[in-house]
Amino acid sequence: MTDMSSIQKACKNYEQDLVLHYYGESSPEERERIQAHLQGCPSCSRFLDELRTVLPLTVKADEPPESFWESYSRELRQRLMTAREKNAWWEGIFSFLRPWAVPTLATAVVLILAVTLTLTRGTWHTRDLPPKEEALLEVLPIAENLEFYTSMDFLDSLDLLEDMGGADSGSA
Amino acid sequence: MGTGRPEELGDETLVTLAQKGEHKAFEELVERYKQKAYRIAFDFTRDREEAKDLSQEAFLRAFTHLNGFDQRASFYTWFYRILVNLCLDYRRRGQRVSWQPFEEHDGKTAEKNEIANPGPSPDREAMSGEISRKIGAALNSLPPKQRTAFVLKNHEGLSIREIAKIMQTAEGTVKTHIHRAVLALRQSLAELV
């Protein structure tokens, strides 16, 4: 066991190359270059040795017994069967939306709408209000203009008086 | 399956047959990849039951999305991507399982081993448990992408190119992830050297 501070450092330029070299991921030219460097660099050699010691320790292989794999396959088959049944149900639903069915359904909807609108023409109301409220809505604009009509009547009366006054003075 | 025994067919053919609704074809893919899938899931969870659930879930997802798989990538690259994403989600959800030797949570195995072999002394066992715990903690402390690249390289022996495809990233990025993960692990596990 070594102290944390004594951790072996490699040459900065070679660090990543050494890691990849450890995993056998360097090209033949790189391998040659690294080998040549390692021969003259004890720090990088120790770094590589450390990788060879530490990295295999991190692998913790699990070897489950045969019974585990039997139950694994059995459970998964069951789960797959449930998924298949679910898929079949959805496929049944979506079978209505096949390419030929979409325009057919759309045409049918348009036809039904056209027939309905033709047969019920004149019986449609913009608002479905009870008769009392409907009557009130008709009266309301007249009531709002009542004041105007009253003032118009008043002016008519003035004109009439004026005419009458004019007629009296003419006769005098 | 009219084109031969499933175990003799390549992944590509099996996928095509499975897409046409041949159940046996997908079951053969499961048989072919279940152990590798389990091992990867175990590398992330360090728990037998969790690894089983995650790897089975990955197969289920692959099955339900199989018709959307256009075979531009190989089946295992596509499948491992599903699996790795599930494993990363598992970690993100914070369900970290402590690193324990199996004997501690598999009573039957421990019992069997005891009968067949008296095993290591309690001191030695405790020490091995402690080392195991430290390694588990060191791996857990790696950022998700570093850990994924490291596990796929160090534990599964996949090539940088395969890992890049699975992680949908550049090969250079994978190299950097592995390099950083190795340095971090060396730092954390220096006392074991």
Coordinates of all heavy atoms in Angstrom, one line a residue, chain A residues 1-4 7-9 15-16 19-20 22-23 25 47 50-51 53-65 68-69 71-73 75-77 79-80 83-84 87, chain B residues 23 26-27 30-31 34-35 38 42 46 48 52-53 55-57 59-60 63 99-102 132 135 139 150 153-155 159-160 175-176 178-179 182-183 186-187 189-191 193:
Chain A
M1 N 0.8 -1.2 0.0 CA 0.0 0.0 0.0 C 0.9 1.3 0.0 O 1.9 1.3 0.7 CB -0.9 0.1 1.2 CG -1.8 -1.1 1.4 SD -3.5 -0.6 1.3 CE -4.3 -2.2 1.2
T2 N 0.5 2.2 -0.8 CA 1.2 3.5 -0.9 C 0.4 4.6 -0.4 O -0.8 4.6 -0.3 CB 1.6 3.8 -2.3 OG1 0.4 3.8 -3.1 CG2 2.6 2.8 -2.9
D3 N 1.1 5.7 -0.1 CA 0.5 6.9 0.4 C -0.1 7.6 -0.8 O 0.4 7.5 -1.9 CB 1.5 7.8 1.1 CG 0.9 8.9 1.8 OD1 0.3 8.7 2.9 OD2 1.0 10.0 1.2
M4 N -1.2 8.4 -0.5 CA -1.9 9.1 -1.6 C -0.9 10.1 -2.3 O -1.0 10.3 -3.5 CB -3.1 9.9 -1.1 CG -4.3 9.1 -0.7 SD -5.3 8.8 -2.2 CE -6.2 10.3 -2.1
I7 N 1.5 9.0 -5.3 CA 0.9 8.5 -6.6 C 1.8 8.8 -7.8 O 2.3 10.0 -7.9 CB -0.6 9.1 -6.7 CG1 -1.3 8.4 -7.9 CG2 -0.6 10.6 -6.9 CD1 -2.8 8.6 -7.9
Q8 N 2.0 7.8 -8.6 CA 2.9 8.0 -9.7 C 2.4 8.9 -10.8 O 1.3 8.6 -11.3 CB 3.3 6.6 -10.3 CG 4.4 6.6 -11.3 CD 5.7 7.3 -10.7 OE1 6.2 6.8 -9.6 NE2 6.2 8.3 -11.3
K9 N 3.2 9.9 -11.2 CA 2.7 10.7 -12.3 C 3.5 10.4 -13.5 O 4.7 10.1 -13.5 CB 3.0 12.2 -11.9 CG 2.0 12.7 -10.8 CD 1.8 14.2 -11.0 CE 1.1 14.9 -9.9 NZ -0.1 14.2 -9.4
E15 N 0.2 10.8 -20.9 CA -0.7 10.2 -19.9 C -1.9 9.5 -20.6 O -2.2 8.3 -20.4 CB -1.3 11.3 -19.0 CG -1.6 10.9 -17.6 CD -2.0 12.0 -16.8 OE1 -2.9 12.8 -17.2 OE2 -1.4 12.2 -15.7
Q16 N -2.6 10.2 -21.5 CA -3.8 9.6 -22.2 C -3.3 8.5 -23.1 O -4.0 7.4 -23.2 CB -4.5 10.7 -23.0 CG -5.8 10.1 -23.7 CD -6.7 11.2 -24.2 OE1 -7.0 12.2 -23.5 NE2 -7.3 10.9 -25.4
V19 N -2.9 5.4 -21.1 CA -4.2 4.7 -20.7 C -4.7 3.9 -21.9 O -5.1 2.8 -21.8 CB -5.2 5.8 -20.3 CG1 -6.6 5.2 -20.1 CG2 -4.7 6.5 -19.0
L20 N -4.7 4.6 -23.1 CA -5.2 3.9 -24.3 C -4.3 2.7 -24.7 O -4.8 1.7 -25.1 CB -5.3 4.9 -25.5 CG -6.3 6.0 -25.3 CD1 -6.2 7.0 -26.4 CD2 -7.7 5.5 -25.1
Y22 N -2.7 0.9 -22.5 CA -3.1 -0.2 -21.6 C -4.3 -1.0 -22.1 O -4.3 -2.2 -22.0 CB -3.4 0.4 -20.2 CG -4.1 -0.6 -19.3 CD1 -3.4 -1.5 -18.6 CD2 -5.5 -0.5 -19.1 CE1 -4.0 -2.4 -17.8 CE2 -6.1 -1.4 -18.3 CZ -5.4 -2.4 -17.6 OH -6.0 -3.3 -16.8
Y23 N -5.2 -0.3 -22.7 CA -6.4 -1.0 -23.2 C -6.2 -1.5 -24.7 O -7.2 -2.0 -25.3 CB -7.6 0.0 -23.2 CG -8.1 0.3 -21.8 CD1 -8.2 1.5 -21.3 CD2 -8.6 -0.8 -21.1 CE1 -8.7 1.8 -20.0 CE2 -9.1 -0.6 -19.8 CZ -9.1 0.7 -19.3 OH -9.6 0.9 -18.0
E25 N -5.6 0.2 -27.3 CA -6.3 1.0 -28.3 C -5.4 2.0 -29.1 O -5.8 3.0 -29.6 CB -7.4 1.9 -27.6 CG -8.6 1.2 -27.2 CD -9.6 1.0 -28.3 OE1 -9.4 1.4 -29.4 OE2 -10.6 0.3 -28.1
F47 N 3.8 4.3 -14.0 CA 2.4 4.7 -14.2 C 1.7 3.6 -14.8 O 0.6 3.2 -14.4 CB 2.4 6.0 -15.0 CG 1.0 6.4 -15.4 CD1 0.2 7.2 -14.5 CD2 0.4 6.1 -16.6 CE1 -1.1 7.7 -14.9 CE2 -0.9 6.5 -17.0 CZ -1.6 7.3 -16.1
E50 N 1.1 0.7 -12.5 CA 0.1 1.0 -11.6 C -1.3 0.7 -12.2 O -2.2 0.2 -11.5 CB 0.1 2.5 -11.1 CG 1.0 2.6 -9.9 CD 0.9 4.0 -9.4 OE1 -0.1 4.7 -9.5 OE2 1.9 4.5 -8.8
L51 N -1.4 1.1 -13.5 CA -2.7 0.9 -14.1 C -3.0 -0.6 -14.2 O -4.1 -1.1 -14.0 CB -2.7 1.4 -15.6 CG -2.6 2.9 -15.8 CD1 -2.7 3.2 -17.3 CD2 -3.6 3.7 -15.0
T53 N -2.1 -2.8 -12.1 CA -2.5 -3.3 -10.7 C -3.9 -2.8 -10.3 O -4.7 -3.6 -9.8 CB -1.4 -2.7 -9.7 OG1 -0.1 -2.9 -10.2 CG2 -1.6 -3.4 -8.3
V54 N -4.1 -1.5 -10.5 CA -5.4 -1.0 -10.0 C -6.6 -1.3 -10.9 O -7.7 -1.8 -10.3 CB -5.3 0.6 -9.9 CG1 -6.6 1.2 -9.5 CG2 -4.3 1.0 -8.9
L55 N -6.5 -1.2 -12.2 CA -7.7 -1.3 -13.0 C -8.4 -2.7 -12.9 O -9.6 -2.7 -12.9 CB -7.4 -0.9 -14.4 CG -7.1 0.6 -14.5 CD1 -6.8 1.0 -16.0 CD2 -8.2 1.5 -14.0
P56 N -7.6 -3.8 -12.9 CA -8.3 -5.1 -12.8 C -9.1 -5.2 -11.5 O -10.1 -5.9 -11.4 CB -7.2 -6.1 -12.9 CG -6.1 -5.4 -13.6 CD -6.2 -4.0 -13.1
L57 N -8.7 -4.5 -10.4 CA -9.4 -4.6 -9.2 C -10.8 -4.0 -9.2 O -11.7 -4.4 -8.4 CB -8.6 -3.8 -8.1 CG -7.3 -4.3 -7.6 CD1 -6.6 -3.3 -6.6 CD2 -7.4 -5.7 -7.0
T58 N -11.0 -3.1 -10.2 CA -12.3 -2.4 -10.2 C -13.4 -3.3 -10.9 O -14.6 -3.0 -10.8 CB -12.2 -1.1 -11.1 OG1 -11.8 -1.5 -12.4 CG2 -11.3 -0.1 -10.5
V59 N -13.0 -4.4 -11.5 CA -13.9 -5.3 -12.1 C -14.4 -6.3 -11.1 O -13.6 -7.0 -10.5 CB -13.3 -6.1 -13.3 CG1 -14.3 -7.0 -14.0 CG2 -12.7 -5.1 -14.3
K60 N -15.7 -6.3 -10.9 CA -16.3 -7.2 -9.9 C -17.3 -8.1 -10.7 O -18.5 -7.7 -10.9 CB -17.0 -6.5 -8.8 CG -17.5 -7.3 -7.7 CD -18.1 -6.5 -6.6 CE -18.8 -7.3 -5.6 NZ -17.8 -8.0 -4.7
A61 N -16.8 -9.2 -11.2 CA -17.7 -10.0 -12.0 C -18.7 -10.8 -11.0 O -18.3 -11.2 -10.0 CB -16.9 -11.0 -12.7
D62 N -19.9 -10.9 -11.5 CA -20.9 -11.6 -10.8 C -21.2 -12.9 -11.6 O -21.4 -12.8 -12.8 CB -22.2 -10.8 -10.7 CG -23.3 -11.5 -9.9 OD1 -23.0 -12.3 -9.1 OD2 -24.5 -11.2 -10.2
E63 N -21.2 -14.0 -10.9 CA -21.5 -15.3 -11.6 C -22.8 -15.9 -10.9 O -22.7 -16.7 -10.1 CB -20.4 -16.3 -11.4 CG -19.0 -15.8 -11.9 CD -19.0 -15.7 -13.5 OE1 -19.8 -16.4 -14.1 OE2 -18.1 -15.1 -14.0
P64 N -24.0 -15.4 -11.4 CA -25.2 -16.0 -10.8 C -25.3 -17.5 -11.1 O -24.9 -17.9 -12.2 CB -26.3 -15.2 -11.4 CG -25.7 -14.1 -12.1 CD -24.3 -14.5 -12.5
P65 N -26.0 -18.2 -10.2 CA -26.2 -19.7 -10.5 C -27.1 -19.9 -11.7 O -27.8 -19.0 -12.1 CB -26.8 -20.2 -9.2 CG -27.4 -19.0 -8.6 CD -26.6 -17.8 -9.0
F68 N -30.7 -18.9 -11.5 CA -31.0 -17.4 -11.7 C -31.3 -17.2 -13.1 O -32.3 -16.5 -13.4 CB -29.7 -16.6 -11.3 CG -29.8 -15.2 -11.6 CD1 -30.4 -14.2 -10.7 CD2 -29.3 -14.7 -12.8 CE1 -30.4 -12.9 -11.0 CE2 -29.4 -13.3 -13.1 CZ -29.9 -12.4 -12.2
W69 N -30.5 -17.8 -14.0 CA -30.8 -17.5 -15.5 C -32.1 -18.2 -15.9 O -32.7 -17.6 -16.8 CB -29.6 -18.1 -16.3 CG -28.4 -17.2 -16.1 CD1 -27.2 -17.6 -15.5 CD2 -28.2 -15.8 -16.4 NE1 -26.3 -16.5 -15.4 CE2 -26.9 -15.4 -16.0 CE3 -29.1 -14.9 -16.9 CZ2 -26.5 -14.1 -16.1 CZ3 -28.6 -13.6 -17.1 CH2 -27.3 -13.2 -16.7
S71 N -34.8 -18.5 -14.1 CA -35.9 -17.6 -13.7 C -35.9 -16.3 -14.4 O -36.9 -15.7 -14.7 CB -35.9 -17.4 -12.2 OG -34.9 -16.4 -11.8
Y72 N -34.6 -15.9 -14.8 CA -34.5 -14.6 -15.6 C -35.2 -14.8 -16.9 O -36.1 -13.9 -17.3 CB -33.0 -14.4 -15.9 CG -32.7 -13.1 -16.6 CD1 -32.2 -12.0 -15.9 CD2 -32.8 -13.0 -18.0 CE1 -31.9 -10.8 -16.5 CE2 -32.5 -11.8 -18.6 CZ -32.0 -10.7 -17.9 OH -31.7 -9.5 -18.6
S73 N -35.0 -15.9 -17.6 CA -35.6 -16.1 -18.9 C -37.1 -16.3 -18.8 O -37.9 -15.8 -19.6 CB -35.0 -17.3 -19.6 OG -33.7 -17.1 -19.9
E75 N -39.1 -15.2 -16.4 CA -39.8 -13.9 -16.0 C -39.9 -13.0 -17.3 O -40.9 -12.3 -17.5 CB -38.9 -13.1 -15.0 CG -39.3 -13.5 -13.6 CD -38.4 -12.8 -12.6 OE1 -38.0 -11.7 -12.8 OE2 -38.0 -13.5 -11.6
L76 N -38.8 -12.9 -18.0 CA -38.7 -12.0 -19.2 C -39.7 -12.5 -20.2 O -40.4 -11.6 -20.8 CB -37.3 -12.0 -19.7 CG -37.1 -10.9 -20.8 CD1 -37.5 -9.5 -20.4 CD2 -35.6 -10.9 -21.2
R77 N -39.8 -13.8 -20.4 CA -40.8 -14.3 -21.4 C -42.2 -13.9 -21.0 O -43.0 -13.5 -21.8 CB -40.7 -15.8 -21.5 CG -39.9 -16.3 -22.7 CD -40.2 -17.8 -23.0 NE -39.9 -18.7 -21.9 CZ -38.7 -19.2 -21.6 NH1 -37.7 -18.9 -22.3 NH2 -38.6 -20.0 -20.6
R79 N -43.0 -11.2 -19.2 CA -43.1 -9.8 -19.4 C -43.3 -9.5 -20.9 O -44.1 -8.5 -21.2 CB -41.9 -9.1 -18.8 CG -41.9 -9.1 -17.3 CD -40.6 -8.5 -16.7 NE -40.7 -7.0 -16.7 CZ -39.7 -6.3 -16.2 NH1 -38.6 -6.8 -15.7 NH2 -39.8 -4.9 -16.3
L80 N -42.6 -10.2 -21.7 CA -42.7 -10.0 -23.1 C -44.1 -10.4 -23.6 O -44.7 -9.7 -24.5 CB -41.7 -10.8 -23.9 CG -40.2 -10.3 -23.9 CD1 -39.3 -11.3 -24.5 CD2 -40.1 -9.0 -24.6
A83 N -46.4 -7.6 -22.8 CA -46.2 -6.5 -23.7 C -46.8 -6.8 -25.1 O -47.4 -5.9 -25.7 CB -44.7 -6.2 -23.9
R84 N -46.7 -8.0 -25.5 CA -47.3 -8.4 -26.8 C -48.8 -8.2 -26.8 O -49.4 -7.7 -27.7 CB -47.0 -9.9 -27.1 CG -45.8 -10.0 -28.0 CD -45.6 -11.5 -28.3 NE -44.1 -11.8 -28.2 CZ -43.6 -12.7 -27.5 NH1 -44.3 -13.5 -26.8 NH2 -42.3 -12.8 -27.5
N87 N -49.7 -4.7 -27.0 CA -49.5 -4.2 -28.3 C -50.6 -4.5 -29.2 O -51.1 -3.8 -30.0 CB -48.2 -4.7 -28.9 CG -47.0 -4.0 -28.5 OD1 -47.1 -3.0 -27.7 ND2 -45.8 -4.4 -28.9
Chain B
H23 N -41.9 -14.4 -32.6 CA -41.6 -14.2 -31.2 C -40.3 -15.0 -30.9 O -39.4 -14.5 -30.1 CB -42.7 -14.8 -30.3 CG -44.0 -14.1 -30.6 ND1 -45.2 -14.6 -30.2 CD2 -44.3 -12.9 -31.2 CE1 -46.1 -13.8 -30.5 NE2 -45.6 -12.8 -31.1
F26 N -37.0 -12.9 -31.4 CA -36.7 -11.9 -30.3 C -36.1 -12.7 -29.1 O -35.2 -12.3 -28.4 CB -37.8 -11.0 -30.0 CG -37.4 -9.9 -29.1 CD1 -36.8 -8.8 -29.7 CD2 -37.5 -9.9 -27.7 CE1 -36.3 -7.7 -28.9 CE2 -37.1 -8.9 -26.9 CZ -36.4 -7.8 -27.5
E27 N -36.8 -13.8 -28.8 CA -36.3 -14.6 -27.7 C -34.9 -15.1 -27.9 O -34.1 -15.2 -26.9 CB -37.2 -15.8 -27.4 CG -38.5 -15.4 -26.7 CD -39.6 -16.4 -26.6 OE1 -39.3 -17.6 -26.9 OE2 -40.7 -16.1 -26.4
V30 N -32.7 -12.3 -27.0 CA -32.6 -12.2 -25.5 C -31.5 -13.2 -25.0 O -30.7 -12.8 -24.2 CB -34.0 -12.5 -24.9 CG1 -33.8 -12.7 -23.3 CG2 -34.9 -11.4 -25.2
E31 N -31.6 -14.4 -25.5 CA -30.7 -15.5 -25.0 C -29.3 -15.1 -25.3 O -28.3 -15.3 -24.6 CB -31.0 -16.8 -25.7 CG -32.3 -17.5 -25.1 CD -32.2 -17.6 -23.6 OE1 -31.3 -18.2 -23.1 OE2 -33.2 -17.2 -22.9
K34 N -28.5 -11.7 -23.0 CA -29.0 -11.5 -21.6 C -27.8 -11.4 -20.6 O -27.8 -10.6 -19.7 CB -30.0 -12.5 -21.2 CG -29.5 -13.9 -21.0 CD -30.6 -14.9 -20.6 CE -30.0 -16.3 -20.4 NZ -31.0 -17.3 -20.2
Q35 N -26.8 -12.2 -20.8 CA -25.7 -12.2 -19.8 C -24.9 -10.9 -19.9 O -24.5 -10.4 -18.9 CB -24.8 -13.4 -20.0 CG -25.6 -14.7 -19.8 CD -24.7 -15.9 -19.4 OE1 -23.6 -15.8 -19.1 NE2 -25.3 -17.1 -19.4
Y38 N -27.0 -8.1 -18.4 CA -27.0 -8.2 -17.0 C -25.7 -7.7 -16.4 O -25.7 -7.0 -15.4 CB -27.2 -9.7 -16.6 CG -27.0 -9.9 -15.1 CD1 -28.0 -9.6 -14.2 CD2 -25.8 -10.4 -14.6 CE1 -27.8 -9.8 -12.8 CE2 -25.6 -10.6 -13.3 CZ -26.5 -10.3 -12.4 OH -26.3 -10.4 -11.0
F42 N -25.2 -4.7 -13.9 CA -24.6 -5.0 -12.6 C -23.4 -4.1 -12.3 O -23.2 -3.6 -11.2 CB -24.1 -6.5 -12.5 CG -23.6 -6.8 -11.2 CD1 -24.4 -7.2 -10.1 CD2 -22.2 -6.8 -10.9 CE1 -23.9 -7.5 -8.9 CE2 -21.7 -7.1 -9.7 CZ -22.6 -7.5 -8.7
R46 N -24.4 -2.8 -9.0 CA -23.8 -3.6 -7.9 C -24.8 -4.4 -7.1 O -24.6 -4.7 -5.9 CB -22.9 -2.8 -7.0 CG -21.8 -2.1 -7.7 CD -20.7 -3.0 -8.1 NE -19.9 -2.5 -9.2 CZ -18.9 -3.1 -9.8 NH1 -18.6 -4.3 -9.4 NH2 -18.3 -2.7 -10.9
R48 N -27.7 -7.6 -7.6 CA -28.2 -8.6 -8.5 C -29.6 -8.4 -8.9 O -29.9 -8.5 -10.1 CB -28.1 -10.0 -7.7 CG -28.2 -11.2 -8.7 CD -27.9 -12.5 -8.0 NE -26.4 -12.7 -8.0 CZ -25.9 -13.8 -7.5 NH1 -26.7 -14.7 -6.9 NH2 -24.6 -14.0 -7.6
K52 N -30.9 -7.4 -12.6 CA -31.9 -8.2 -13.4 C -33.0 -7.4 -13.9 O -33.4 -7.4 -15.1 CB -32.4 -9.3 -12.5 CG -33.3 -10.3 -13.2 CD -33.6 -11.5 -12.3 CE -34.8 -11.2 -11.5 NZ -35.3 -12.4 -10.7
D53 N -33.6 -6.5 -13.0 CA -34.7 -5.7 -13.4 C -34.4 -4.7 -14.5 O -35.1 -4.6 -15.5 CB -35.2 -4.8 -12.2 CG -36.2 -5.6 -11.3 OD1 -36.5 -6.7 -11.7 OD2 -36.6 -5.1 -10.3
S55 N -31.9 -4.9 -16.8 CA -31.6 -5.5 -18.0 C -32.8 -6.1 -18.7 O -33.0 -6.0 -19.9 CB -30.5 -6.6 -17.8 OG -30.9 -7.5 -16.9
Q56 N -33.8 -6.6 -17.9 CA -35.0 -7.1 -18.4 C -35.8 -5.9 -19.0 O -36.4 -6.0 -20.1 CB -35.9 -7.8 -17.3 CG -35.3 -9.1 -17.0 CD -36.2 -9.9 -16.0 OE1 -37.0 -9.3 -15.3 NE2 -36.0 -11.2 -15.9
E57 N -35.8 -4.8 -18.3 CA -36.5 -3.6 -18.8 C -36.0 -3.1 -20.1 O -36.7 -2.7 -21.0 CB -36.4 -2.5 -17.7 CG -37.2 -1.2 -18.0 CD -38.7 -1.4 -18.1 OE1 -39.2 -2.2 -17.4 OE2 -39.3 -0.7 -18.9
F59 N -34.6 -5.0 -22.4 CA -35.1 -6.0 -23.4 C -36.6 -5.6 -23.8 O -37.0 -5.6 -24.9 CB -35.1 -7.4 -23.0 CG -33.7 -8.0 -23.1 CD1 -33.0 -8.4 -22.0 CD2 -33.1 -8.2 -24.4 CE1 -31.7 -9.0 -22.1 CE2 -31.9 -8.7 -24.5 CZ -31.1 -9.1 -23.4
L60 N -37.4 -5.3 -22.7 CA -38.8 -4.9 -23.0 C -38.9 -3.7 -23.9 O -39.7 -3.6 -24.8 CB -39.5 -4.7 -21.7 CG -40.1 -5.9 -21.0 CD1 -40.7 -5.5 -19.7 CD2 -41.2 -6.5 -21.9
F63 N -38.0 -4.4 -27.3 CA -39.1 -5.2 -28.0 C -40.2 -4.2 -28.4 O -40.7 -4.3 -29.6 CB -39.6 -6.2 -27.0 CG -40.8 -6.9 -27.6 CD1 -40.7 -7.9 -28.5 CD2 -42.1 -6.6 -27.1 CE1 -41.8 -8.5 -29.1 CE2 -43.2 -7.3 -27.6 CZ -43.1 -8.2 -28.6
W99 N -22.0 -1.0 -2.3 CA -21.2 -2.1 -2.8 C -20.9 -3.1 -1.8 O -20.3 -2.8 -0.7 CB -19.8 -1.4 -3.3 CG -18.8 -2.3 -3.8 CD1 -18.1 -3.3 -3.1 CD2 -18.3 -2.4 -5.1 NE1 -17.2 -3.9 -3.8 CE2 -17.3 -3.4 -5.1 CE3 -18.5 -1.7 -6.3 CZ2 -16.5 -3.7 -6.2 CZ3 -17.8 -2.0 -7.4 CH2 -16.8 -3.0 -7.4
Q100 N -21.5 -4.3 -2.0 CA -21.3 -5.3 -0.9 C -21.0 -6.6 -1.6 O -21.4 -6.9 -2.7 CB -22.7 -5.5 -0.2 CG -23.0 -4.4 0.7 CD -24.4 -4.6 1.3 OE1 -25.2 -5.3 0.8 NE2 -24.6 -4.0 2.4
P101 N -20.1 -7.4 -0.9 CA -19.8 -8.7 -1.5 C -21.1 -9.5 -1.5 O -22.0 -9.3 -0.6 CB -18.8 -9.3 -0.5 CG -18.4 -8.2 0.4 CD -19.4 -7.1 0.3
F102 N -21.3 -10.4 -2.5 CA -22.6 -11.1 -2.6 C -22.9 -11.9 -1.3 O -24.1 -12.0 -1.0 CB -22.5 -12.1 -3.8 CG -22.6 -11.4 -5.0 CD1 -21.6 -11.5 -6.0 CD2 -23.6 -10.4 -5.2 CE1 -21.7 -10.8 -7.1 CE2 -23.6 -9.7 -6.4 CZ -22.6 -9.9 -7.3
S132 N -13.6 -3.7 -1.4 CA -14.7 -3.8 -2.3 C -15.5 -2.5 -2.2 O -16.0 -1.9 -3.2 CB -15.5 -5.0 -2.0 OG -16.3 -5.3 -3.0
I135 N -13.7 0.5 -3.7 CA -13.8 0.5 -5.2 C -15.2 1.0 -5.6 O -15.3 1.8 -6.6 CB -13.4 -0.8 -5.7 CG1 -11.9 -1.2 -5.4 CG2 -13.6 -0.9 -7.2 CD1 -11.5 -2.6 -5.7
L139 N -16.0 4.2 -7.9 CA -16.7 4.2 -9.2 C -18.0 5.0 -9.2 O -18.3 5.7 -10.1 CB -17.1 2.7 -9.5 CG -16.1 1.8 -10.2 CD1 -16.5 0.4 -10.1 CD2 -15.8 2.3 -11.6
F150 N -15.9 4.2 -19.0 CA -15.0 3.4 -18.3 C -15.5 1.9 -18.2 O -14.8 1.0 -18.4 CB -14.7 4.0 -16.9 CG -13.8 3.1 -16.1 CD1 -12.4 3.1 -16.4 CD2 -14.3 2.3 -15.1 CE1 -11.6 2.2 -15.6 CE2 -13.5 1.5 -14.3 CZ -12.1 1.5 -14.6
K153 N -15.5 0.1 -21.4 CA -14.1 -0.3 -21.8 C -13.4 -1.3 -20.9 O -13.0 -2.3 -21.3 CB -13.3 1.0 -21.9 CG -11.8 0.9 -22.3 CD -11.7 0.7 -23.8 CE -11.2 -0.7 -24.2 NZ -11.1 -0.9 -25.6
N154 N -13.4 -0.9 -19.6 CA -12.6 -1.7 -18.7 C -13.3 -3.0 -18.3 O -12.6 -4.0 -18.1 CB -12.4 -0.8 -17.4 CG -11.4 -1.4 -16.5 OD1 -10.2 -1.5 -16.8 ND2 -11.9 -1.9 -15.3
H155 N -14.6 -3.0 -18.1 CA -15.3 -4.2 -17.7 C -15.8 -5.0 -18.9 O -15.8 -6.2 -18.8 CB -16.6 -3.8 -16.9 CG -16.3 -3.1 -15.6 ND1 -15.2 -2.2 -15.5 CD2 -16.8 -3.2 -14.4 CE1 -15.2 -1.7 -14.2 NE2 -16.2 -2.3 -13.5
S159 N -14.7 -1.7 -27.9 CA -13.7 -0.8 -28.5 C -14.2 0.6 -28.4 O -15.4 0.9 -28.1 CB -13.6 -1.1 -30.0 OG -14.7 -0.8 -30.7
I160 N -13.2 1.6 -28.5 CA -13.6 3.0 -28.4 C -14.7 3.3 -29.4 O -15.6 4.1 -29.1 CB -12.3 3.9 -28.7 CG1 -11.2 3.6 -27.7 CG2 -12.7 5.4 -28.7 CD1 -11.3 4.2 -26.3
K175 N -12.3 8.8 -25.5 CA -10.9 8.7 -25.0 C -10.7 9.6 -23.8 O -10.1 9.2 -22.8 CB -9.9 9.0 -26.1 CG -9.9 8.0 -27.2 CD -8.9 8.4 -28.3 CE -8.9 7.4 -29.4 NZ -8.2 7.8 -30.6
T176 N -11.2 10.8 -23.9 CA -11.1 11.8 -22.8 C -11.8 11.3 -21.5 O -11.3 11.4 -20.4 CB -11.6 13.2 -23.2 OG1 -11.0 13.5 -24.4 CG2 -11.3 14.2 -22.2
I178 N -12.5 8.2 -20.7 CA -11.8 7.1 -20.1 C -10.5 7.5 -19.4 O -10.3 7.1 -18.3 CB -11.5 6.0 -21.2 CG1 -12.7 5.4 -21.8 CG2 -10.5 4.9 -20.7 CD1 -12.6 4.5 -23.0
H179 N -9.8 8.4 -20.0 CA -8.6 8.9 -19.4 C -8.9 9.6 -18.1 O -8.2 9.3 -17.1 CB -8.0 10.0 -20.4 CG -6.8 10.7 -19.9 ND1 -6.6 12.0 -20.2 CD2 -5.8 10.4 -19.0 CE1 -5.5 12.4 -19.6 NE2 -5.0 11.4 -18.9
V182 N -9.9 7.0 -15.4 CA -8.8 6.2 -14.9 C -8.0 7.1 -13.9 O -7.6 6.6 -12.9 CB -7.9 5.8 -16.1 CG1 -6.6 5.2 -15.6 CG2 -8.6 4.7 -16.9
L183 N -7.7 8.3 -14.3 CA -6.9 9.2 -13.3 C -7.7 9.4 -12.0 O -7.1 9.3 -10.9 CB -6.7 10.6 -14.0 CG -5.7 10.6 -15.2 CD1 -5.4 12.1 -15.5 CD2 -4.5 9.8 -14.9
R186 N -7.4 6.1 -10.0 CA -6.1 6.0 -9.5 C -5.9 6.8 -8.2 O -5.3 6.4 -7.2 CB -5.0 6.4 -10.5 CG -4.5 5.3 -11.4 CD -3.4 5.8 -12.3 NE -2.1 5.9 -11.6 CZ -1.4 7.0 -11.5 NH1 -1.9 8.2 -11.9 NH2 -0.3 7.0 -10.9
Q187 N -6.4 8.0 -8.3 CA -6.3 8.9 -7.2 C -7.1 8.3 -6.0 O -6.6 8.3 -4.9 CB -7.0 10.3 -7.6 CG -6.8 11.4 -6.6 CD -5.4 12.1 -6.8 OE1 -4.9 12.1 -7.9 NE2 -4.9 12.5 -5.7
L189 N -8.0 5.3 -5.5 CA -7.6 3.9 -5.0 C -6.1 3.8 -4.8 O -5.5 2.7 -4.8 CB -8.1 2.9 -6.0 CG -9.6 2.9 -6.3 CD1 -9.9 1.9 -7.4 CD2 -10.3 2.5 -5.0
A190 N -5.4 5.0 -4.7 CA -3.9 5.0 -4.6 C -3.4 4.0 -3.4 O -2.4 3.4 -3.6 CB -3.4 6.4 -4.3
E191 N -4.2 4.0 -2.4 CA -3.7 3.2 -1.2 C -3.8 1.7 -1.5 O -3.2 0.9 -0.7 CB -4.6 3.5 0.0 CG -6.1 3.3 -0.2 CD -6.9 3.9 0.9 OE1 -6.9 3.3 2.0 OE2 -7.5 4.9 0.7
V193 N -2.6 0.3 -4.2 CA -1.4 0.0 -5.0 C -0.3 -0.6 -4.2 O 0.1 0.0 -3.2 CB -1.0 1.2 -5.9 CG1 0.2 0.8 -6.8 CG2 -2.1 1.7 -6.7

